[in-house]
Amino acid sequence: MAMTNSVLLWILLMVWLVPFALFILLQIFLCRKENKWLGLILPAISFLGSLVFLLQVTEVRAMILSFLVSNIGTVVYLLIYVGIRRKKKKNSDMDQMKIKDL
C-alpha cells in the first residue's frame, strides 16, 4: 500500500512540476524577445486567472488568502520579466558605451 502512495505522489508531483517548468521556460523565452510586451503576457493571464478564481470565493478571509496564493505564479513571472529586462538593458547600455569608445 505504501508503494502505491509513493508512486501516486511522484505522478502528482510530475503533473504539477512539468507544466510549471514549461511555463517558466516559455516566460524566459518571451522576455528575451525585443518586444517588451511579450514578456507581460503570462503575468497578465495569471493575474486574470486569479481574479476569476477570486470570484468563486464568498468569504472575505478566504478571498484574501486565495488572492495571495493564486498570484504566486504572477509574482514569479514578473520577477523573471524584471530580471531579464534589467539584464537586457544593462547589456544594451554596455554596447552603447563600447560604440562610443570606438
Side-chain angles (χ1 to χ4, degrees):
M1 186 70 166
M3 183 152 180
T4 58
N5 287 340
S6 176
V7 172
L8 182 62
L9 179 66
W10 278 105
I11 291 171
L12 287 174
L13 189 64
M14 289 301 130
V15 166
W16 284 100
L17 283 181
V18 171
F20 183 70
L22 290 175
F23 278 117
I24 294 293
L25 290 174
L26 177 63
Q27 177 66 8
I28 291 170
F29 173 76
L30 291 174
C31 288
R32 288 186 176 169
K33 295 293 183 185
E34 287 298 318
N35 188 348
K36 67 178 181 179
W37 296 106
L38 287 176
L40 294 173
I41 292 173
L42 288 180
I45 291 172
S46 177
F47 182 71
L48 291 174
S50 73
L51 291 179
V52 169
F53 185 69
L54 189 65
L55 293 174
Q56 298 173 359
V57 181
T58 57
E59 195 176 312
V60 175
R61 177 183 263 171
M63 190 178 289
I64 293 170
L65 183 63
S66 69
F67 182 74
L68 293 174
V69 170
S70 62
N71 276 310
I72 291 173
T74 305
V75 171
V76 170
Y77 292 143
L78 286 174
L79 288 174
I80 292 171
Y81 176 79
V82 168
I84 290 177
R85 281 290 157 187
R86 280 186 183 167
K87 185 177 179 181
K88 210 169 173 145
K89 178 144 176 50
K90 181 181 172 185
N91 289 342
S92 173
D93 291 344
M94 291 297 284
D95 289 342
Q96 288 178 358
M97 284 176 49
K98 288 179 184 177
I99 289 172
K100 286 181 181 180
D101 287 343
L102 293 177

